[in-house]
Amino acid sequence: MSLYDKLVTHSQFNYSRRYDLYSHGLTAYPLSEKAPLPYEEQIKTLVDKINEADCIIVGGASGLSAAGGGDFYYEDNASYRKYFGKYAEKYVFKGAFAGSFYQYSDPAEKWGYLVTFLHTTQTAEIRKPYLDLDKLIKNKDFFILTTNQDTQFVKIYPEDKVAEIQGDHRFFQCSRQCSDDTWDAVEPVKKLMKAMGDNTAIPTHMIPRCPHCGAEAFPWVRGYGNFLQGTKYDEQYRKISNYIEANIDKKILFLELGVGRMTPMFIQEPFWELTKLLPQSYYIGINNKYDYLPQEIEKRGMTIVGDIAKVLDDAVKI
Ligand SMILES: [Zn+2]
């Protein structure tokens, strides 16, 4: 098990042990009661800490994509209607994920929805918060860890700088996990969107299938399928673990962006633990809702509560 895998496993264990707290959006960590700095000083500290760091480990989560307009996952809003309009009218889904969980009676209809979902993220422009983040870190040594499956980071950076630990919309896997194989989903999705046209279902004979056993394919993502934790998955954990190990004596800035309360175990709590362990490191969390900074790292940490898009935009302007 790699170093980062161990941190996540430890955090998952705590999460299930203290589910009474976590299920209410709380945390098992005693939190700092330190008063936050005024906003302008927080932005200045963010920029200073980026400049001072030998290297930066970015943890990008759902709040980062949501801040840039990728906010159609959990709500029926204008952007959901824009990309999923025909399904919004036919079904009453509260956002893109709800439609993915739905038990469709026709697999071709399910695939119509999945293909629409994948096409939306695969073809999305790079969102502004990602571009602002890039302006802030591009001259530094950095590594990206992300739970986002929407491929935003791999549109900017080479694969060896990004660890996608919850999967990636550009790949299919076998729904039965008959093999360790993952394969391209971009070209099939393009063809299927064309074949579907204005319908809500793809042609049944075009349902993507596993090249090995003929079972239905499935996007390589955790959340609503049978997520394949094979070679590709291990690679992601190896990349982040190797980066941490190579820089363990350096001044690392852990920069957490938009972690929600459902999954503190993938980025947030491992970052807290690493900050605690590495005395020269510093932690900054940016979140639009939660001011969660553990007491144990309050002297080497800060949270900025605000709209991530605005925080990054303001930081770029300094
Ligand atoms: Zn198969």
Side-chain angles (χ1 to χ4, degrees), residues 226-252:
N226 197 8
F227 185 42
L228 177 64
Q229 298 186 32
T231 305
K232 198 178 203 65
Y233 176 83
D234 290 341
E235 255 173 46
Q236 311 305 314
Y237 275 94
R238 204 163 43 243
K239 281 188 275 186
I240 176 67
S241 300
N242 287 351
Y243 188 82
I244 295 169
E245 278 161 0
N247 292 289
I248 206 126
D249 297 323
K250 297 202 182 137
K251 208 187 229 187
I252 304 177

Side-chain angles (χ1 to χ4, degrees), residues 68-72 75-89 95-96 116-117 119-120 123-125 127 193:
D71 54 355
F72 43 73
E75 27 177 320
D76 178 6
N77 54 18
S79 58
Y80 181 69
R81 294 267 159 173
K82 179 176 171 192
Y83 301 112
F84 296 85
K86 56 190 179 185
Y87 298 96
E89 278 170 28
T116 304
F117 194 171
H119 189 255
T120 301
T123 59
E125 301 269 290
R127 303 181 193 285
M193 282 297 281

Side-chain angles (χ1 to χ4, degrees), residues 26-86:
L26 302 170
T27 173
Y29 286 75
L31 296 177
S32 169
E33 286 170 10
K34 198 172 70 168
L37 292 170
Y39 179 75
E40 288 71 26
E41 282 179 51
Q42 288 188 319
I43 299 299
K44 190 174 177 310
T45 306
L46 168 64
V47 174
D48 288 347
K49 292 295 174 188
I50 290 173
N51 292 337
E52 285 166 20
D54 294 326
C55 58
I56 300 163
I57 301 182
V58 173
S62 60
L64 175 62
S65 281
D71 54 355
F72 43 73
Y73 296 105
Y74 296 102
E75 27 177 320
D76 178 6
N77 54 18
S79 58
Y80 181 69
R81 294 267 159 173
K82 179 176 171 192
Y83 301 112
F84 296 85
K86 56 190 179 185

Side-chain angles (χ1 to χ4, degrees), residues 23 38 65 91 128 134 170 177 242 251 300 307:
S23 62
S65 281
Y91 302 91
K128 184 168 182 296
D134 181 54
R170 295 171 304 163
Q177 300 197 350
N242 287 351
K251 208 187 229 187
R300 288 184 294 110
D307 173 5

Side-chain angles (χ1 to χ4, degrees), residues 189-199 201-203 205-206:
V189 162
K190 213 185 283 175
K191 274 193 204 126
L192 289 166
M193 282 297 281
K194 213 169 158 195
M196 176 161 63
D198 293 333
N199 297 327
I202 63 165
H205 72 276
M206 290 180 79

Side-chain angles (χ1 to χ4, degrees), residues 111-140:
W111 273 101
Y113 190 86
L114 280 180
V115 160
T116 304
F117 194 171
L118 299 179
H119 189 255
T120 301
T121 53
Q122 284 172 1
T123 59
E125 301 269 290
I126 302 171
R127 303 181 193 285
K128 184 168 182 296
Y130 285 85
L131 295 171
D132 284 341
L133 174 68
D134 181 54
K135 284 181 197 156
L136 293 169
I137 64 171
K138 69 178 170 198
N139 296 321
K140 306 292 296 190

Side-chain angles (χ1 to χ4, degrees), residues 121-122 148-155 164 168-170:
T121 53
Q122 284 172 1
N148 294 345
Q149 302 155 340
D150 62 6
T151 74
Q152 286 279 305
F153 279 122
V154 288
K155 285 175 180 162
E164 300 174 293
D168 178 322
H169 282 172
R170 295 171 304 163

